[in-house]
Amino acid sequence: MSIKIVMVVGARPNFMKVAPLFWEMNQLPLVFQSVILHTGQHYDYEMSKVFFEDLDLPEPHYFLGVGSGTHAEQTGKIMIEFEQVIQNENPALVVVFGDVNSTLACSVTAKKLFFPVAHVEAGLRSFDMTMPEEINRKITDTISDILFTPSRDGNENLIREGVERNKIHLVGNIMIDSLVTILKRINPSDEDKVFQKFGLKKNHFALVTLHRPSNVDDKNNLWKIINFLSHLSLRIPVIFPAHPRTKKNINGFNTNDAVNGNFKIVEPLRYREFITLEKYPRFVLTDSGGIQEETTYLNAPCLTLRPNTERPMTITEGTNELVTFENIEEKINLILSGNWKQGKLPKLWDGKTAQRIVDIIKRMEL
Ligand code: UD1
């Protein structure tokens, strides 16, 4: 009998993490039966469906359609819906990814019904409890039975928190598996099309993504950012694919007052378009976790507008640095004058993480 595994996804950064594992398990149909459950935390076409298309994922087996709401509403709705499904499916293992509300909701629900839980991307810590993701990570890690970590700092954090060593497996960064795959699928003519579409030249633009509540929910702060970016665009073209919540907040502004060089605010991009741009920026400015990692892999300079990161390897080994409003100008000058550090690849960010996870799960008695 095959091992039934329910894999939970909900928000954009989950999709590139489930795909490699789904395909790896799919190669062993006699060993695994994998069920993809999408909570519907992200539901817009460009936040969800396009990722399934670009990652060649089938329609999810379950779509809970919970949508947005406050943290409590969203988490609660996911728990209520997930409880029904999981009891019907009765899987041998539930796999959750990353740090979004769906990760927390489904790991807690599964665990209370005595289903074993595996957490992929375990052990990351920003040590900033004002971030909803930090709460989601800590709770999920505390109750999970199997913890797959992307880098050795993850192991260190978990061990310090008292997690038993035999639950922790350093497997590498699964998101890099998807990145490696999509890079092989993007050919030079695809790249030309993307650059034409956005009217940009390779290595001569800044790619910006900002969506963290700390940056975009405070109107004054967001206005400061938008103003800064429009000034920056007098020096270098700026493209800003804006997350729906960022977009909503920007829509409240009268941006006519902003200086306008070459500054484009566009809809969220599909995976293959975003990666194409991310391959050739002069630099990236972001507050996303995944983008700090992708730029390290791609050796693209990355400025992270946050006071902390749960992904320190991207700074110590990669191309990333944290910036504030006080020093961002100085850091941009360094990049534009060609004086940025060269990164190296953290260990096990090699596109084979899903394989390592499957090998470990196969050996377990579930
Ligand atoms: C979530 C994750 C965050 C991740 C981000 C990536 C949590 C706590 N946060 O944040 O870690 O980095 O996804 O995108 O889980 N909305 C839409 N359409 C959508 C999805 C959202 O319009 O498809 C709008 C809604 O108004 C919603 C808001 O965006 O209220 C925020 O969505 P939500 O899923 O609650 O959190 P994110 O900010 O996307």
Side-chain angles (χ1 to χ4, degrees):
M1 250 218 342
S2 57
I3 309 170
K4 190 191 272 187
I5 314 254
V6 169
M7 298 192 235
V8 174
V9 292
R12 187 169 58 175
N14 290 156
F15 307 136
M16 42 295 244
K17 293 169 195 165
V18 75
L21 193 56
F22 175 80
W23 286 115
E24 200 62 39
M25 289 190 174
N26 216 44
Q27 287 184 28
L28 301 170
L30 297 179
V31 184
F32 295 111
Q33 182 197 350
S34 39
V35 176
I36 298 184
L37 180 140
H38 185 337
T39 63
Q41 175 172 347
H42 283 175
Y43 44 88
D44 284 355
Y45 177 73
E46 66 269 15
M47 294 296 284
S48 175
K49 187 97 196 309
V50 283
F51 285 83
F52 276 71
E53 290 169 9
D54 282 1
L55 293 159
D56 268 344
L57 282 169
E59 288 277 317
H61 302 84
Y62 290 93
F63 182 76
L64 306 184
V66 299
S68 308
T70 65
H71 284 274
E73 281 164 356
Q74 190 173 58
T75 309
K77 274 193 219 159
I78 298 171
M79 286 176 150
I80 292 165
E81 298 290 325
F82 186 64
E83 189 169 54
Q84 292 292 324
V85 176
I86 191 100
Q87 279 171 318
N88 292 339
E89 283 292 334
N90 195 25
L93 180 69
V94 174
V95 182
V96 296
F97 300 84
D99 55 18
V100 301
N101 285 343
S102 303
T103 313
L104 167 83
C106 295
S107 58
V108 170
T109 306
K111 194 65 197 165
K112 286 191 171 176
L113 291 167
F114 307 109
F115 292 104
V117 174
H119 184 203
V120 176
E121 202 186 83
L124 299 189
R125 295 290 180 269
S126 66
F127 305 100
D128 177 356
M129 289 297 276
T130 65
M131 287 177 76
E133 293 84 359
E134 183 74 354
I135 299 172
N136 295 343
R137 288 180 203 117
K138 287 188 83 161
I139 294 177
T140 302
D141 282 344
T142 306
I143 62 175
S144 290
D145 303 276
I146 313 170
L147 297 117
F148 292 117
T149 57
S151 44
R152 56 170 193 276
D153 53 296
N155 291 47
E156 289 159 12
N157 291 332
L158 293 172
I159 288 164
R160 202 179 38 248
E161 288 173 18
V163 175
E164 294 151 58
R165 281 171 195 259
N166 62 1
K167 290 184 175 175
I168 308 170
H169 304 271
L170 175 58
V171 289
N173 190 326
I174 196 156
M175 206 192 53
I176 301 299
D177 289 19
S178 276
L179 181 57
V180 169
T181 304
I182 197 100
L183 285 171
K184 285 188 205 137
R185 290 190 192 153
I186 300 172
N187 60 43
S189 90
D190 297 331
E191 291 182 354
D192 291 346
K193 279 188 209 136
V194 172
F195 280 91
Q196 256 166 26
K197 176 173 170 185
F198 295 109
L200 295 169
K201 288 201 192 83
K202 285 182 181 172
N203 306 312
H204 186 61
F205 65 97
L207 175 60
V208 177
T209 81
L210 297 163
H211 72 278
R212 296 261 161 229
S214 54
N215 281 326
V216 306
D217 281 1
D218 179 86
K219 294 259 168 176
N220 286 334
N221 215 19
L222 181 59
W223 176 243
K224 228 163 95 181
I225 292 172
I226 296 294
N227 213 15
F228 174 80
L229 294 175
S230 28
H231 277 92
L232 176 66
S233 75
L234 295 170
R235 298 175 74 188
I236 184 162
V238 174
I239 182 163
F240 182 4
H243 182 282
R245 64 147 359 98
T246 313
K247 193 95 193 232
K248 253 188 239 161
N249 293 342
I250 293 175
N251 285 345
F253 293 145
N254 177 3
T255 39
N256 294 336
D257 295 344
V259 181
N260 221 343
N262 188 346
F263 180 23
K264 293 191 182 81
I265 300 178
V266 297
E267 295 296 318
L269 302 185
R270 54 189 311 146
Y271 186 50
R272 52 188 311 141
E273 287 184 334
F274 189 79
I275 298 298
T276 304
L277 293 184
E278 213 180 6
K279 239 177 117 176
Y280 301 103
R282 195 64 193 270
F283 67 92
V284 174
L285 171 65
T286 192
D287 58 11
S288 146
I291 292 171
Q292 295 172 53
E293 297 176 332
E294 287 168 352
T295 46
T296 277
Y297 186 87
L298 296 165
N299 203 20
C302 181
L303 302 177
T304 298
L305 189 57
R306 279 179 46 189
N308 49 56
T309 178
E310 60 290 334
R311 287 148 162 106
M313 306 291 271
T314 61
I315 298 177
T316 53
E317 303 199 12
T319 52
N320 186 27
E321 277 202 27
L322 301 180
V323 290
T324 61
F325 259 115
E326 282 62 53
N327 67 5
I328 190 167
E329 193 92 46
E330 181 197 321
K331 301 283 180 185
I332 290 175
N333 289 342
L334 273 179
I335 294 172
L336 296 184
S337 61
N339 289 310
W340 201 247
K341 59 183 174 181
Q342 287 290 314
K344 64 172 195 232
L345 263 192
K347 213 176 136 216
L348 301 179
W349 290 25
D350 56 0
K352 295 186 179 136
T353 293
Q355 230 172 302
R356 286 186 282 271
I357 292 178
V358 165
D359 284 345
I360 292 168
I361 295 180
K362 247 183 356 193
R363 288 200 304 266
M364 288 183 163
E365 280 180 26
L366 290 168

